[in-house]
Amino acid sequence: MADLSVSWEQYHRHIETLAVKIYQSQWKFDQIICIAKGGLRVGDILSRLYHIPLGIVVAASYGGENGRSREDIKMGQHLAAIDDNLGKRILLVDDLVDSGVSLQKVTQWLKEYASPVEELRTAVIWYKSCSQFQPDYYVQYLPDNPWIRQPFESYETMNINDLINSIK
């Protein structure tokens, strides 16, 4: 199966499309929480568009060479947010849902951490069919589960010296 390559322009258009889908649902939420690293850009743009605070939780389920090996999920035990009171309705965002483990674990953790949560919904750009978790909002369903080459992925295999040499 071929990788899915995404340009910066496509990437930002997908985030804008996600923002519109969430808006059209007419669901009102108090807080956006993004899963770092992949959900940082998504969360940042949604936070700016909706003028709603952004919180950040760290979770990782990929590692190994080029970050392409699925591993046991690792989660930070703290949430970075401006306010301790997250509100009763939380929008949890990430770039994609692959196995679904990250969204499942973070959803469960947030419900315990941010009690009382009345409603938590999830939003991603890409929803792969292999996922055991179905997001509430997504832009693109991927029935063949390709590796998604996001525009910032080149930084995964680069170091600062590579960058310096490339801009000389």
Side-chain angles (χ1 to χ4, degrees):
M1 150 192 9
D3 290 354
L4 173 63
S5 294
V6 180
S7 70
W8 279 110
E9 182 179 346
Q10 292 168 319
Y11 180 77
H12 287 111
R13 180 63 58 196
H14 284 329
I15 296 172
E16 292 164 353
T17 300
L18 184 61
V20 169
K21 284 186 172 209
I22 296 164
Y23 176 79
Q24 288 173 336
S25 77
Q26 298 182 355
W27 184 58
K28 304 293 183 214
F29 46 96
D30 306 305
Q31 177 81 41
I32 298 169
I33 304 291
C34 68
I35 301 175
K37 297 188 291 197
L40 282 169
R41 291 165 187 86
V42 179
D44 176 55
I45 291 172
L46 292 178
S47 176
R48 291 170 190 271
L49 288 169
Y50 283 99
H51 305 282
I52 289 181
L54 177 64
I56 302 168
V57 64
V58 178
S61 59
Y62 280 90
E65 188 177 335
N66 299 329
R68 283 189 169 208
S69 298
R70 191 175 298 155
E71 300 177 347
D72 290 338
I73 188 166
K74 297 175 187 163
M75 275 187 59
Q77 294 304 306
H78 302 284
L79 177 70
I82 296 296
D83 195 345
D84 288 339
N85 180 7
L86 301 179
K88 296 179 180 180
R89 292 171 309 279
I90 296 173
L91 178 65
L92 176 62
V93 302
D94 205 353
D95 55 348
L96 61 95
V97 60
D98 190 348
S99 68
V101 173
S102 296
L103 278 175
Q104 265 182 334
K105 295 283 186 185
V106 174
T107 295
Q108 178 184 354
W109 182 81
L110 272 173
K111 287 180 178 178
E112 294 168 9
Y113 178 92
S115 190
V117 174
E118 286 181 9
E119 188 172 12
L120 188 148
R121 293 189 188 180
T122 55
V124 299
I125 299 171
W126 298 284
Y127 169 28
K128 293 186 179 185
S129 66
C130 63
S131 175
Q132 59 188 0
F133 186 96
Q134 182 174 349
D136 297 290
Y137 307 100
Y138 60 91
V139 175
Q140 192 172 18
Y141 177 74
L142 302 171
D144 54 353
N145 305 306
W147 182 264
I148 302 165
R149 294 183 144 302
Q150 297 187 48
F152 45 83
E153 194 170 306
S154 62
Y155 295 110
E156 297 287 340
T157 58
M158 184 185 293
N159 63 43
I160 193 65
N161 290 321
D162 296 334
L163 181 63
I164 290 167
N165 291 330
S166 75
I167 59 175
K168 283 185 177 178

